[in-house]
């Protein structure tokens, strides 16, 4: 996109300095001191040539005046952008960064522009230089002054990723920044740059560094370091107080001071101290940069020539075209070479609203990804979605030439020349609420970063591609069939493919079969039972929405949501499949209704008695927010912002969880038995003389109690707790009370069910969740996070009282408690505050709450290590979030017949 040239320029000469002095306005970003120290070297050369430089920066004055002693240097202390907000060196608070930029540069934008235009005119500036303050370029344009940027990165590129993490309501920030940069005349680009396509006229220059004052030998001699000792420098801003470098981090013969070769180290290895392989690699490298280091002088010469009126030949591209290209790469999160991404729809909408179209509306280009044209929708820059589309492109290329069975089947699944619909649905982290969902509780849920993708294609039966064994069954080729491929089957000991005649879902009279028959159908072969989660969506649409499927259907399912971890892997499969099938058949179903339909799949076709919260989070959730929902049956209260200082993790215990397990089912039955008994107790009092004394209206309400969670803790304790038995047999209950009122579970007459704990849990859990939600919105304080953690601990203990705990999850919670106790230590600093088992319990994942900081991440890694030492199992950590299926929408793609156009 950019057209760089490496400028060969003569050094600034005496004749340069003999000319009339020029006036430069040099704007410096407020992100740290690094930009300011880089600017010093350029400014030093400009002033040495006799020019005047006005530096606009929030950096301390000494950063500039220590190196430059001249009356031609003027410092104006103003903050016009905010950069990144970081709690420590490695942790960026994306939402806070965007909110801070709004506060500093967006809300007062009009007054800033007016002030800057007036000031630029007052100093009679010849040129505005920006490193790399966006609004400076727009102010220069408004003042009729040329502007140049000098940098190695731009904020439109950086903030684009923040928008994906923090929410699209911040989208206008990136659009405005890119538009501001589009007023810049050209970019002086430094080595080590990221994509900056807002600047189409680019000049590459050498590194800008300060002059050397001492040789390598002199430095080593002063430090007392022999020549044979290898040195490492480890020093960057914002390191946490108390962090110590451990001797075992370094290989033998190293000390931590200095190094030349550079290698990239992943965050996890950095924190865990796995340094040796990287250092051993680094020492084999030669310094990778062999260019010049006189970038300050070269830049100053270019700036002087520009300020004197020298024009550069450049591409005649409109501001809108430059802005479009800026957005394309600014939005590109996966920096793979050769991949051209399209402008997301929400950018286009913003441009339309602002009255400045991003592209020529008369010449709209199709949108492309590797191998496919996107006919509808947007991949939202999600790396897992781009990766899934890449895998489809690979399948389209390889055809039948692949060794793995599931990939062979997938390659032969689709007619690659026809449209394919893709949907995506995440798993969920149960922050609070858990098993109380089926009792009508308030729940708080966060969508996970991990998600399931479903690709669906419909074809006339005569055009459907059939696997060989299916061909043998279908001679007439006029009966619609269903073919499914599931990636990852080898990890779960299940068959990778499934196929059936869609007529198997119909009775002889043409009506859909019952859910009971469907359950029996998929239970015949244990290795194929997984298909109930996928194919069951079709039967539910047939029964609940009277949909008739006359075409054959091909489905590819690929999920990164780990199975059996208590993070709703099944819900993500159901929701993604239902969403893709609905889109492929033109069915408009709201995210909430998709969730309710998918619950029926799991309850009646799969036979797992889950509540609705899993499907609701997967369908209706939003990235980095908690979905607040009252499960009566599925009323969304809204989205709860996660405070910037709070963070949630999930840690897998390695103990497989299943909502279809007997523990979960018996606890659910116990809760419904308890509700039935409470209603009976209340009805008895209504018919007695005692009802008037205890408020007859409330007793009548209790007698018709529809959800346990509508009974307050104090009324339960005062009126009913003493009357409930600890347990009861199925036989006893059914003889006295009959039905327990739950259509998805069946009482075993010979079984014994605990009653008190399963009944008490949802009543008190609902109260805990309400308190948790209120605390999240309270003023940030130590007491706030302590209170949030305590509520999670109480929830965990209540699970255990119900019999839904496990050794693994209890161990993880104890490890968090040990980390929390570090807060009371004089030498350590604990930043984790609480933990609880999640979902259906009996294993699975523990949710942890802590401060959003580097120290918290270190403690999570320490818990991982200690858990592995004790159990031999390295737990998976769930970290991050992503949009639900409703926010994602769907993609309609078609295989490219030609390579995508370049921009």
């Amino acid at each position: 996109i950019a057209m760089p040239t490496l400028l060969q320029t003569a050094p600034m000469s005496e004749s340069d300095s003999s000319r009339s002095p020029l006036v430069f306005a040099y704007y410096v970003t407020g992100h740290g001191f690094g930009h300011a120290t880089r600017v010093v070297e350029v400014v030093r050369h400009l002033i040495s040539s006799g020019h005047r430089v006005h530096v606009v920066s929030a950096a301390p004055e000494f950063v500039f005046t220590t190196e430059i002693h001249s009356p031609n240097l003027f410092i104006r202390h103003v903050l016009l952008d905010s950069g990144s907000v970081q709690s420590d060196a490695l942790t960026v608070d994306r939402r806070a960064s965007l909110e801070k930029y709004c506060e500093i540069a967006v809300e007062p934008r009009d007054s800033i522009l007016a002030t800057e235009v007036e000031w630029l005119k007052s100093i009679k500036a010849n040129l505005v230089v920006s490193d790399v303050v966006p609004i400076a370029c727009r102010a220069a344009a408004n003042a009729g002054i040329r502007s140049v940027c000098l940098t190695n990165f731009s904020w439109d590129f950086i903030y684009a990723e923040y928008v994906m993490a923090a929410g699209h309501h911040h989208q206008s920030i990136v659009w405005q920044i890119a538009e501001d940069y589009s007023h810049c005349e050209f970019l002086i680009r430094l080595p080590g740059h990221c994509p900056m396509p807002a600047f189409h006229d680019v000049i590459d220059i050498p590194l800008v560094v300060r002059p050397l004052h001492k040789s390598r030998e002199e430095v080593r001699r002063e430090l007392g370091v022999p020549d044979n000792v290898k040195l490492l420098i480890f020093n960057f801003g914002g390191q946490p107080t108390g962090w110590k470098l451990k001797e075992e981090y370094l290989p033998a013969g190293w000390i931590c001071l200095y190094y030349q070769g550079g290698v990239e180290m992943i965050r996890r290895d950095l924190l865990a101290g796995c340094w040796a392989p990287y250092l051993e690699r680094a020492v084999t490298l030669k310094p990778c940069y062999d260019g010049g280091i006189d970038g300050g002088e070269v830049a100053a010469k270019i700036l002087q020539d520009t300020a004197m009126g020298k024009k550069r030949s450049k591409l005649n591209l409109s501001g809108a075209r430059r802005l479009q290209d800026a957005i394309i790469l600014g939005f590109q999160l996966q920096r793979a070479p050769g991949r051209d991404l399209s402008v997301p729809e929400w950018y286009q909408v913003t441009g339309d609203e602002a009255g400045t179209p991003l592209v020529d509306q008369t010449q709209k280009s199709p949108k492309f990804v590797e191998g496919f044209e996107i006919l509808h929708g947007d991949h939202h820059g999600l790396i897992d979605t781009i990766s899934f589309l890449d895998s489809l492109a690979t399948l389209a290329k390889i055809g039948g030439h692949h060794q793995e069975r599931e990939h062979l089947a997938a390659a032969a699944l689709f007619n690659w020349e026809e449209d394919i619909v893709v949907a995506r649905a995440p798993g969920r982290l149960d922050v609070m609420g858990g098993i109380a969902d089926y009792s009508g509780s308030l729940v708080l849920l966060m969508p996970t970063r991990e998600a399931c993708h479903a690709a669906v294609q419909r074809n006339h039966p005569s055009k459907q591609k059939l696997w060989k064994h299916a061909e043998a069954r279908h001679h007439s080729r006029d009966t619609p069939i269903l073919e499914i491929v599931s990636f990852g089957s080898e990890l779960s000991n299940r068959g990778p493919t499934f196929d059936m005649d869609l007529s198997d879902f119909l009775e002889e009279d043409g009506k859909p079969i019952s859910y009971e028959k469907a359950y029996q159908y998929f239970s015949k072969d244990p290795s194929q039972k997984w298909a109930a989660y996928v194919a069951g969506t079709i039967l539910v649409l047939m029964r609940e929405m009277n949909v008739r499927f006359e075409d054959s259907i091909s489905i590819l399912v690929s999920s990164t949501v780990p199975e059996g971890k208590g993070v709703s892997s099944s819900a993500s499969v159901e929701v993604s499949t239902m969403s893709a099938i609905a889109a492929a058949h033109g069915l408009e179903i709201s995210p909430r209704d998709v969730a309710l339909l998918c619950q029926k799949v799991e309850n009646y076709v799969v036979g797992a008695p889950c509540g609705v919260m899993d499907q609701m989070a997967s369908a209706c959730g939003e990235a980095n927010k908690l979905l607040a929902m009252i499960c009566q049956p599925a009323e969304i209260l809204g989205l709860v912002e996660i405070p910037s200082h709070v963070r949630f993790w999930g840690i897998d215990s390695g103990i497989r969880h299943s909502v279809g397990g007997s523990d979960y089912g018996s606890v659910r039955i116990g809760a419904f038995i308890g509700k039935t008994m409470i209603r009976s107790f209340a009805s008895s009092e209504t018919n007695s003389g005692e009802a008037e004394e205890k408020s007859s209206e409330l007793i009548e309400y209790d007698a018709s109690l529809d959800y346990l969670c509508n009974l307050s803790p104090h009324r339960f304790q005062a009126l009913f707790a003493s009357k409930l038995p600890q347990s009861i047999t199925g036989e006893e209950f059914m003889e006295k009370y009959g039905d327990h009122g739950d259509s998805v579970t069946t009482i075993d007459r010979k079984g014994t069910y605990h009653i008190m704990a399963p009944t008490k849990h949802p009543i008190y859990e609902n109260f805990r969740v309400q308190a948790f939600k209120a605390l999240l919105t309270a003023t940030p304080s130590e007491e706030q996070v302590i209170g949030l953690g305590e509520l999670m601990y109480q929830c965990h203990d209540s699970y255990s009282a119900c019999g839904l705990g496990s050794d693994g999850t209890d161990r993880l919670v104890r490890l968090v408690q040990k980390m929390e106790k570090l807060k009371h230590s004089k030498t350590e600093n604990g930043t984790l505050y609480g933990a609880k088992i999640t979902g259906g319990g009996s294993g699975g994942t523990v949710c942890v709450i802590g401060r959003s900081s580097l120290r918290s991440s270190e403690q999570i890694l320490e818990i991982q290590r200690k858990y592995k030492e004790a159990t031999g199992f390295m737990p998976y950590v769930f970290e991050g979030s992503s949009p639900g299926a409703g926010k994602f929408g769907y993609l309609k793609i078609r295989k490219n017949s030609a390579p995508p156009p370049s921009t």
Side-chain angles (χ1 to χ4, degrees):
I1 292 175
M3 306 233 358
T5 57
L6 186 59
L7 187 75
Q8 301 294 329
T9 180
M12 299 181 77
S13 62
E14 292 183 7
S15 60
D16 293 328
S17 59
S18 64
R19 298 188 180 99
S20 299
L22 300 169
V23 178
F24 296 86
Y26 209 135
Y27 288 80
V28 187
T29 183
H31 181 69
F33 288 176
H35 295 264
T37 55
R38 176 168 69 197
V39 163
V40 166
E41 186 63 14
V42 179
V43 170
R44 186 174 66 82
H45 282 285
L46 288 172
I47 290 178
S48 67
S49 297
H51 305 306
R52 300 189 184 100
V53 181
H54 295 256
V55 175
V56 183
S57 173
E61 191 168 315
F62 73 81
V63 174
F64 305 96
T65 56
T66 300
E67 292 288 326
I68 304 172
H69 308 279
S70 171
N72 287 334
L73 173 65
F74 306 89
I75 309 295
R76 181 166 166 250
H77 200 268
V78 178
L79 179 64
L80 295 179
D81 70 354
S82 54
S84 298
V85 176
Q86 296 175 242
S87 55
D88 54 56
L90 300 179
T91 307
V92 174
D93 189 328
R94 294 171 173 84
R95 185 183 296 113
S97 297
L98 294 168
E99 290 173 350
K100 187 69 173 178
Y101 187 83
C102 275
E103 176 189 338
I104 290 175
V106 176
E107 294 171 4
R109 179 178 175 83
D110 291 342
S111 63
I112 289 175
L113 285 172
T115 300
E116 296 309 304
V117 168
E118 182 180 357
W119 177 75
L120 288 170
K121 290 180 177 178
S122 71
I123 65 170
K124 296 181 172 56
N126 298 103
L127 183 69
V128 170
V129 188
S130 179
D131 183 0
V132 63
V133 181
I135 203 169
C137 303
R138 182 55 185 266
N142 289 1
I145 302 170
R146 301 169 74 187
S147 65
V148 173
C149 285
L150 194 160
T151 186
N152 65 319
F153 75 86
S154 54
W155 289 114
D156 56 333
F157 179 81
I158 301 298
Y159 283 168
E161 182 177 0
Y162 296 2
V163 169
M164 293 308 304
H168 288 171
H169 56 287
H170 294 294
Q171 64 196 36
S172 60
I173 294 177
V174 181
W175 187 90
Q176 186 64 72
I177 290 173
E179 198 275 336
D180 282 345
Y181 286 148
S182 73
H183 293 281
C184 172
E185 191 161 321
F186 61 88
L187 167 68
I188 301 174
R189 187 169 63 181
L190 296 168
H193 56 80
C194 69
M196 292 182 287
F199 312 99
H200 273 270
D201 194 16
V202 178
I203 303 173
D204 283 317
I205 67 168
L207 280 175
V208 175
V209 297
R210 295 183 183 182
L212 293 174
H213 298 292
K214 296 178 181 179
S215 68
R216 176 179 183 275
E217 291 73 20
E218 287 175 317
V219 172
R220 278 186 172 254
R221 188 164 53 250
E222 289 186 12
L223 294 174
V225 179
D227 286 343
N228 63 339
V229 174
K230 300 180 180 69
L231 305 177
L232 165 72
I233 186 169
F234 180 73
N235 181 29
F236 51 93
Q239 288 171 232
T241 303
W243 190 91
K244 295 180 180 178
L245 175 67
K246 298 180 181 178
E247 186 177 345
E248 61 265 27
Y249 287 9
L250 301 174
W254 283 75
I255 62 173
C256 188
L257 284 178
Y258 173 80
Y259 78 106
Q260 280 193 316
V263 292
E264 182 178 1
M265 183 185 299
I266 63 172
R267 176 191 179 106
R268 184 167 300 249
D269 284 346
L270 172 68
L271 298 180
C274 183
W275 288 19
Y278 296 98
L279 298 181
E280 289 164 358
R281 166 65 177 157
V283 79
T284 66
L285 302 177
K286 295 180 179 179
C288 61
Y289 184 76
D290 56 3
I293 57 172
D294 57 345
E297 182 179 1
V298 174
K301 173 65 170 150
I302 298 170
L303 295 176
Q304 176 185 269
D305 290 346
T306 305
M308 292 175 62
K310 183 177 180 180
K311 298 289 185 180
R312 289 182 48 80
S313 59
K314 59 182 180 180
L315 297 173
N316 292 319
L317 294 170
S318 67
R321 169 60 190 277
R322 294 169 70 178
L323 176 56
Q324 176 200 358
D325 289 344
I327 288 168
I328 289 173
L329 277 189
F331 190 82
Q332 184 177 346
L333 304 185
Q334 185 174 351
R335 305 173 191 177
R339 175 171 294 132
D340 296 311
L341 299 187
S342 55
V343 180
E345 285 182 351
W346 51 268
Y347 276 114
Q348 183 64 56
V349 171
T350 308
D352 293 344
E353 290 174 351
T356 307
L358 304 188
V359 295
D360 184 349
Q361 298 297 314
T362 63
Q363 297 181 357
K364 286 188 177 180
S365 299
K367 299 189 290 185
F368 292 89
V369 291
E370 183 75 21
F372 288 100
E373 177 185 357
I374 298 180
L375 304 175
H376 176 275
D378 193 326
H379 53 57
H380 300 281
L382 293 166
I383 293 176
D384 61 342
T385 300
I386 296 171
S387 177
F388 179 70
L389 295 176
D390 284 347
S391 70
L392 289 180
T394 301
L395 290 172
K397 292 176 182 177
I398 65 172
H401 306 289
H402 204 281
Q403 298 300 315
E404 294 183 26
R405 180 184 169 191
E406 62 185 30
H407 286 86
L408 278 171
L413 182 65
F414 297 119
N415 288 319
W416 294 105
E417 307 305 320
E418 302 296 329
D419 295 351
I420 299 173
V421 170
V422 176
R424 178 190 185 277
R428 68 93 188 95
L429 185 63
D430 162 32
V431 175
M432 286 293 285
I435 57 167
D437 63 340
Y438 53 67
S439 294
S441 178
L442 172 66
V443 295
L444 297 173
L445 311 163
M446 185 176 79
T448 63
R449 179 184 58 189
E450 296 77 9
C452 177
H453 288 85
V456 170
Q457 186 180 73
R458 54 184 292 196
N459 286 297
H460 187 274
S462 64
K463 296 182 179 180
Q464 177 72 8
K465 296 178 69 175
L466 299 178
W467 296 317
K468 289 183 179 180
H469 68 274
E471 277 185 340
R473 283 205 317 265
H474 295 271
H475 299 291
S476 63
R477 300 295 299 270
D478 59 357
T479 303
I481 70 166
L482 170 66
E483 293 181 307
I484 306 171
V485 176
S486 173
F487 280 174
S489 58
E490 70 280 358
L491 301 177
S492 305
N493 194 28
R494 51 180 165 79
T497 64
F498 174 85
D499 63 279
M500 63 178 287
D501 295 351
L502 285 178
S503 59
D504 291 349
F505 277 155
L506 299 174
E507 301 283 9
E508 291 184 2
D509 60 3
K511 294 181 179 179
I513 63 174
S514 67
Y515 288 132
E516 178 61 29
K517 285 187 177 180
Y519 174 76
Q520 297 298 331
Y521 182 94
F522 289 105
S523 299
K524 294 176 183 177
D525 182 357
S527 70
Q528 298 275 286
K529 191 173 181 180
W530 62 268
Y533 294 99
V534 182
T537 60
I538 294 175
L539 178 62
V540 168
L541 288 171
M542 293 169 70
R543 288 187 59 85
E544 306 300 327
M545 297 188 65
N546 298 315
V547 179
R548 294 181 61 85
F549 294 95
E550 298 178 350
D551 287 338
S552 293
I553 302 174
S554 300
I555 304 176
L556 172 62
V557 175
S558 177
S559 181
T560 58
V561 185
E563 297 178 28
K565 309 297 186 186
V567 290
S568 301
S569 59
S570 58
S572 66
V573 170
E574 295 153 359
V575 172
S576 60
T577 303
M578 177 81 74
S579 300
I581 290 174
H585 290 82
L587 305 175
E588 294 186 4
I589 311 175
S590 70
R592 177 182 181 274
D593 289 340
V594 166
L596 292 171
L597 290 170
C598 289
Q599 184 195 19
K600 291 184 181 294
V601 174
E602 189 140 356
N603 287 170
Y604 300 125
V605 183
V606 177
C610 71
V612 73
M613 73 173 193
D614 297 353
Q615 290 79 10
M616 288 293 290
S618 187
C620 306
E622 291 190 21
N624 298 296
K625 296 179 182 178
L626 300 183
L627 180 71
M629 180 183 71
I630 296 178
C631 303
Q632 301 187 15
E635 306 308 318
I636 296 176
L637 293 185
L639 296 162
V640 180
E641 295 280 351
I642 300 173
S644 60
H645 64 287
V646 171
R647 195 172 182 181
F648 296 101
W649 295 264
I651 308 179
D652 168 34
S653 67
I655 299 173
R656 190 172 180 85
H657 150 89
S658 171
V659 295
S662 58
D663 289 342
Y664 175 90
S666 62
V667 170
R668 176 170 176 149
I669 290 172
F672 277 86
I673 287 177
K675 185 188 76 170
T676 303
M677 288 182 167
I678 288 172
R679 291 178 57 158
S680 177
F681 299 152
S683 295
S684 298
E685 290 196 18
T686 301
N687 297 325
S688 69
E690 299 178 3
E692 292 182 3
E693 299 175 11
K694 296 181 179 179
S695 178
S696 60
E697 289 185 3
L698 288 174
I699 294 295
E700 289 175 5
Y701 176 80
D702 295 338
S704 61
L705 188 67
D706 49 355
Y707 293 96
L708 266 179
C709 291
N710 289 339
L711 181 63
S712 64
H714 79 273
R715 284 188 62 76
F716 169 75
Q717 198 64 40
L719 301 178
F720 305 114
S722 61
K723 298 179 180 180
L724 283 176
Q726 291 296 319
S727 62
I728 192 171
T729 66
E731 186 77 32
E732 290 177 288
F733 173 79
M734 296 186 74
E735 285 185 2
K736 186 172 182 178
Y737 298 97
D739 185 38
H740 69 314
D742 183 18
S743 62
V744 300
T745 56
T746 303
I747 294 177
D748 179 2
R749 285 181 172 272
K750 297 180 180 179
T752 299
Y753 298 95
H754 294 286
I755 305 304
M756 175 58 76
T759 303
K760 182 179 179 181
H761 173 79
I763 294 171
Y764 281 81
E765 180 70 358
N766 185 49
F767 179 80
R768 285 190 287 264
V769 183
Q770 291 173 346
F772 194 94
K773 180 174 178 287
L775 265 178
L776 278 175
T777 59
T779 302
S781 66
E782 184 73 5
E783 290 74 18
Q784 177 203 32
V785 285
I786 290 174
L788 292 169
E790 175 60 27
L791 290 169
M792 294 181 77
Y793 285 139
Q794 290 181 18
C795 172
H796 180 79
D797 291 341
S798 187
Y799 260 77
S800 297
C802 291
L804 292 176
S806 73
D807 291 341
T809 50
D810 288 348
R811 183 184 296 276
L812 285 170
V813 171
R814 287 196 300 271
L815 287 171
V816 172
Q817 289 171 332
K818 288 180 181 178
M819 291 293 178
E820 184 193 3
K821 289 178 182 177
L822 295 177
K823 292 195 294 291
H824 307 294
S825 168
K826 293 182 179 179
T827 59
E828 296 287 349
N829 180 26
T831 57
L832 303 182
Y833 290 85
K836 61 175 279 288
I837 196 170
T838 63
S842 299
T845 295
V846 163
C847 178
V848 180
I849 186 173
R851 286 194 175 274
S852 181
S853 68
L854 173 61
R855 181 60 179 153
S856 295
S857 297
E858 291 174 335
Q859 290 179 344
I860 293 292
L861 292 173
E862 182 69 7
I863 289 172
Q864 261 189 316
R865 185 185 63 79
K866 290 184 176 180
Y867 190 83
K868 183 182 181 183
E869 287 177 356
T871 66
F873 174 79
M874 174 60 81
Y876 182 91
V877 174
F878 295 91
E879 187 174 2
S881 185
S882 65
K887 276 290 181 183
F888 181 86
Y890 70 91
L891 296 172
K892 181 181 287 187
I893 62 175
R894 180 183 297 160
K895 184 180 176 183
N896 282 341
S897 57
S902 59
T903 52

